[in-house]
Amino acid sequence: MKSIVKRLSIFFTFLAALSCAAGAQVLAEHLFSEAGNNSGLNRSAEAGFAEEEFRRGVQSYYRGFFNDAIIQFEKALSYLPDEKLILDWLGKSYYRAGMEGTALEQWQFASDSGYGGILLENKIEVVRERRVNASVESNLRYTETGTFNGVNANDAGSFQIFSQPISVLANADGTIWVCAYGSNELVLLDINGNVVRRVTGPLNGFDRPVDVIRAQDGKLLVSESAGDRISVLSEGGLFEKYIGKKGRGVGELVGPQYLAQDYLGNIYATDFGNARVSVFDKDGNGLFYFGKKDFSFGGLKGPTGIAVRGESVYVADGVLGAVYEFDLSGNYVDVLVQEKTFAFPEAMKFSATKDSLIISDRNHVYSIDLGTGAVYENAFMGNAPARVTSAVPDQNGNILAADFRNNEIYILSNMTELLGGLFVEIERVDAEKFPKVTMNIRVQNRRRQPVVGLRAENFYISEGKRPAAKLRFEGAASSNKNLDVAIVVDRSASARHDAALDQAVRDIAASMQGVGNITLISSGAIPVTEYTGDPRGLLNFSVSALKAGRSASCAFDLALRMAVNGLINAQPKRAVIYITDGRMPQNSFDRYGLTDLTAYMDNNSVAFSVICLGQGALDEELDYIYKNSYGRSYYVYRPEGLGSIVQDLLDVPNGLYQFSFESALFTDMGRAYLPLEVETYIMNRSGRDETGYFAPLQ
């Protein structure tokens, strides 16, 4: 009897396998429908050729060979000219290659034929909008999209998370430090509001903490208003030492409020009790104080918020309702915002673009243009009682506002982001170890800003509409500490800059500390790869060793494409650093346009920074590229040097996430196109993408 049951079991298992194989065979043989074949030739032969080219194109795409993928998808279309799935993938390849206009054409053809539905229509809308509105504005209107409440109430009762949040520090990985005045602690929250860590300071605890900032060396500085001191903590929150003590002399404090640091490492604290600003060096030694009445300035009455950029120190006065500008020595320069403009301004933090200040004022959040002093309202919390003490930009384009009175952290987003949702892209699928599949997912907002800090619970991944089995969150690129760099050297720059060029390359190589890969490309009449490998190989760089000679006509576009091509399969954090005298040479954009080059970097998450060998302003083309590619501009002889450039690039937001799962789909010996879907959720926003892949041929 057992033998009969066993034989029947084997028989039905065999039938099930045949059924699955037949289903997969149908999937492989009918990947492209008869409706897509308008060539007049036999569909089976045409479809067979198209499917083979299509499979090669998909694999080339996932390997980062976008030009090869374009050629292969074009060949597939030559067999089935109106096949929508091929048009979609051709659009994807053009998009990743930086040719967004051509990508939109392909997607529009597919959409007009009824393919893709709302998902494709939304993609077309977002990409078109990005091409028109490339830059991020600083005077946008924001609305509340979510809150982190200090008390978690559920059926089991109430649990305090934090009490009286007074300031917030946004981290590069999407987490935030909340400085809780009422509960005397720092609380680290993830993007979903979950508590990651609590820090209570030294053994005797914090004494009414007000502000927390991250110093240049990565340590945390916490002002304690009742303790009349500043606590220095390690990057993870372990107490190290105190700065300052109670008193009225140099290096002494009475009720310190908000903190800032200049490029020299000096620490500035608004000393509310002494109606001044106290300054310490990076080691915590008192230097001087300023803000008292003199012949040119009436004196601070109640200093609160403070911010430092370049040679300027900006101080808000809560009593006078104004913002004043001083130099780094404490000399009064000018009034930035007139008295009585604000009711009671408190914390001031720089916007993401660093060209404006975000200031909290009771139930308002404003931005101040540093060039003109103009004030714009970013958000209004309503007429209900509120006290917003701090508002800071996070890595995801939001503003995080601490409401001291209502015990809440508000997440404020631009209205277009709330309505448009997230832009989600399955960037790469690796099925070489099938059935184990690894996939990279990139998440951005509508303005191309990466969304960082997401967790596994923010994603739903399925294959063929069924949940992926054994799903594993492999990690987020935002936590990656490695950086691959391509340096592009402008060979049209004058020989008088050679010494500065040598020093710039050496400084970049030294700041990488032997971690990551570095490539050096000469941008001459014909671009030349001069070096690739360990950064330590360029510690003694000399311009005299370059193979490419000087030329008034330099192919900047080809050099930049060459640099980005080498970074496509590099570390998730990657960047191009262009060293130039600030002028664009002749023939810079003969083959590739400015917007296409910028899109090529943006669509492959390559940051672009510029080191200027001269003191003049950059040409507008360079200015456009770096401002729209998450990079920065540096003067080679700036006082603080170039040692921070690599860390600045490591801090660039990166919205790449990696997952792995075990596929349950039948591959038909590697010929079946396997569907894959992902949905991403955060607060009141979501996004979706659909794609497919092929398992290895057998």
Side-chain angles (χ1 to χ4, degrees):
M1 183 67 180
K2 290 183 179 179
S3 176
I4 295 174
V5 171
K6 183 175 181 181
R7 289 177 182 178
L8 286 174
S9 175
I10 294 173
F11 175 73
F12 285 118
T13 301
F14 178 69
L15 284 179
L18 283 178
S19 176
C20 290
Q25 185 72 18
V26 170
L27 181 61
E29 291 182 355
H30 299 281
L31 175 60
F32 303 129
S33 66
E34 182 68 35
N37 176 32
N38 295 327
S39 64
L41 301 176
N42 183 281
R43 185 236 169 249
S44 60
E46 295 294 284
F49 290 130
E51 287 165 5
E52 181 60 23
E53 293 296 341
F54 178 76
R55 183 182 62 81
R56 291 174 181 170
V58 170
Q59 291 176 329
S60 294
Y61 177 90
Y62 286 140
R63 291 168 182 159
F65 304 143
F66 305 123
N67 291 336
D68 291 346
I70 290 170
I71 293 171
Q72 285 150 348
F73 290 134
E74 293 280 11
K75 286 183 179 179
L77 278 176
S78 70
Y79 297 113
L80 298 176
D82 297 321
E83 177 53 53
K84 289 79 175 177
L85 182 60
I86 304 176
L87 285 171
D88 185 17
W89 274 92
L90 183 59
K92 289 181 182 180
S93 301
Y94 276 121
Y95 176 79
R96 293 292 299 280
M99 292 173 271
E100 292 182 337
T102 309
L104 287 170
E105 290 179 4
Q106 309 305 319
W107 286 333
Q108 194 64 59
F109 289 151
S111 180
D112 290 344
S113 300
Y115 174 86
I118 296 176
L119 184 62
L120 183 57
E121 290 175 6
N122 182 67
K123 181 186 291 187
I124 293 170
E125 178 190 349
V126 171
V127 174
R128 280 182 176 159
E129 183 180 312
R130 287 175 172 180
R131 288 166 60 80
V132 175
N133 303 310
S135 299
V136 177
E137 301 174 31
S138 59
N139 57 345
L140 297 172
R141 289 285 302 179
Y142 290 79
T143 187
E144 180 185 325
T145 58
T147 60
F148 297 149
N149 199 298
V151 177
N152 183 12
N154 52 41
D155 295 338
S158 297
F159 174 75
Q160 179 176 287
I161 301 174
F162 50 77
S163 175
Q164 294 181 312
I166 193 167
S167 64
V168 178
L169 172 64
N171 298 316
D173 63 357
T175 59
I176 62 171
W177 284 107
V178 177
C179 188
Y181 182 89
S183 51
N184 285 317
E185 62 183 342
L186 295 181
V187 182
L188 184 65
L189 303 179
D190 69 15
I191 198 169
N192 300 307
N194 301 314
V195 176
V196 178
R197 188 179 312 149
R198 293 182 183 274
V199 174
T200 56
L203 289 177
N204 56 333
F206 292 127
D207 197 352
R208 299 305 180 194
V210 171
D211 194 19
V212 54
I213 66 169
R214 188 172 300 282
Q216 292 174 353
D217 58 5
K219 295 180 180 180
L220 299 176
L221 305 178
V222 180
S223 61
E224 299 182 53
S225 62
D228 302 313
R229 64 203 178 201
I230 300 170
S231 286
V232 180
L233 312 178
S234 69
E235 187 173 356
L238 297 177
F239 176 78
E240 293 188 358
K241 65 177 182 179
Y242 288 126
I243 291 176
K245 62 180 181 179
K246 185 173 183 176
R248 300 191 178 278
V250 173
E252 296 177 339
L253 303 162
V254 176
Q257 300 285 297
Y258 295 94
L259 304 171
Q261 190 174 33
D262 66 19
Y263 64 82
L264 299 173
N266 295 329
I267 302 163
Y268 297 73
T270 50
D271 191 351
F272 193 89
N274 287 319
R276 68 190 188 188
V277 175
S278 292
V279 185
F280 303 83
D281 67 17
K282 61 183 179 181
D283 297 317
N285 302 307
L287 295 177
F288 60 93
Y289 56 80
F290 65 89
K292 293 297 185 178
K293 182 178 180 179
D294 59 23
F295 66 93
S296 63
F297 179 56
L300 296 170
K301 300 297 187 294
T304 51
I306 187 167
V308 183
R309 189 186 75 163
E311 301 293 327
S312 298
V313 181
Y314 303 97
V315 182
D317 194 302
V319 175
L320 298 175
V323 178
Y324 302 99
E325 180 182 357
F326 301 84
D327 65 20
L328 295 184
S329 299
N331 300 307
Y332 174 72
V333 175
D334 201 357
V335 57
L336 180 66
V337 180
Q338 296 294 328
E339 294 182 9
K340 298 183 180 180
T341 300
F342 303 112
F344 191 83
E346 297 197 54
M348 287 195 305
K349 305 295 179 180
F350 284 108
S351 66
T353 57
K354 305 294 184 184
D355 58 359
S356 63
L357 285 168
I358 299 174
I359 187 167
S360 306
D361 185 30
R362 296 277 172 85
N363 55 352
H364 290 83
V365 175
Y366 297 102
S367 61
I368 305 170
D369 187 289
L370 291 179
T372 64
V375 177
Y376 303 93
E377 184 182 75
N378 290 135
F380 175 52
M381 307 306 167
N383 293 318
R387 183 186 170 191
V388 177
T389 52
S390 176
V392 302
D394 70 1
Q395 296 291 328
N396 296 327
N398 305 313
I399 291 178
L400 306 174
D403 188 337
F404 183 85
R405 179 166 185 164
N406 293 311
N407 200 34
E408 289 184 321
I409 304 293
Y410 303 125
I411 297 90
L412 307 175
S413 301
N414 178 252
M415 292 184 181
T416 59
E417 296 300 324
L418 180 62
L419 296 174
L422 303 173
F423 188 81
V424 179
E425 181 183 11
I426 300 175
E427 190 172 271
R428 178 167 296 189
V429 179
D430 182 1
E432 291 299 318
K433 297 180 180 179
F434 194 89
K436 181 180 180 181
V437 179
T438 302
M439 61 188 297
N440 292 346
I441 303 168
R442 192 167 298 282
V443 184
Q444 300 174 322
N445 65 17
R446 291 177 67 90
R447 290 179 288 157
R448 215 191 291 267
Q449 293 175 298
V451 176
V452 304
L454 299 177
R455 307 291 179 179
E457 57 263 35
N458 297 110
F459 293 87
Y460 176 77
I461 297 171
S462 59
E463 47 176 2
K465 313 301 182 184
R466 297 178 180 178
K470 298 183 180 179
L471 185 66
R472 177 184 174 89
F473 181 46
E474 301 290 349
S478 57
S479 60
N480 195 310
K481 300 300 182 183
N482 294 339
L483 175 74
D484 283 347
V485 171
I487 300 174
V488 178
V489 175
D490 177 12
R491 295 301 284 138
S492 70
S494 171
R496 62 189 175 88
H497 295 304
D498 282 357
L501 174 58
D502 289 350
Q503 191 59 50
V505 174
R506 293 171 187 173
D507 286 350
I508 295 169
S511 63
M512 292 182 71
Q513 300 180 347
V515 178
N517 190 76
I518 194 168
T519 300
L520 181 69
I521 296 173
S522 290
S523 177
I526 299 176
V528 176
T529 300
E530 306 279 358
Y531 176 85
T532 184
D534 193 307
R536 288 170 289 195
L538 292 178
L539 291 177
N540 297 312
F541 168 80
S542 174
V543 69
S544 61
L546 295 178
K547 302 170 189 174
R550 297 186 190 281
S551 174
S553 175
C554 295
F556 168 78
D557 52 354
L558 295 182
L560 187 55
R561 292 282 301 193
M562 182 185 294
V564 178
N565 287 344
L567 293 171
I568 295 295
N569 293 313
Q571 292 286 342
K573 292 188 175 180
R574 50 224 185 189
V576 174
I577 301 175
Y578 184 50
I579 305 178
T580 176
D581 61 3
R583 298 176 295 106
M584 293 304 299
Q586 300 175 19
N587 308 320
S588 291
F589 303 101
D590 280 359
R591 295 169 181 82
Y592 296 95
L594 177 65
T595 55
D596 285 346
L597 288 170
T598 307
Y600 188 35
M601 290 186 290
D602 286 341
N603 296 343
N604 293 285
S605 297
V606 178
F608 179 85
S609 288
V610 182
I611 296 177
C612 192
L613 302 174
Q615 287 187 299
L618 296 175
D619 278 1
E620 59 183 8
E621 295 91 345
L622 281 177
D623 193 68
Y624 173 87
I625 295 175
Y626 91 78
K627 286 183 177 178
N628 288 282
S629 302
Y630 290 94
R632 294 177 59 182
S633 174
Y634 304 84
Y635 174 50
V636 67
Y637 289 126
R638 67 177 190 156
E640 62 267 43
L642 298 173
S644 67
I645 187 169
V646 169
Q647 187 58 51
D648 291 343
L649 291 169
L650 282 169
D651 289 341
V652 170
N654 193 306
L656 187 70
Y657 302 86
Q658 188 173 86
F659 287 84
S660 65
F661 63 91
E662 296 287 329
S663 177
L665 299 179
F666 195 80
T667 69
D668 188 26
M669 308 298 284
R671 293 190 301 131
Y673 180 73
L674 309 179
L676 189 59
E677 307 88 29
V678 61
E679 294 184 43
T680 305
Y681 307 90
I682 173 175
M683 298 293 179
N684 297 321
R685 298 154 63 191
S686 65
R688 177 181 173 82
D689 191 25
E690 297 179 356
T691 189
Y693 66 98
F694 291 91
L697 286 173
Q698 297 177 4

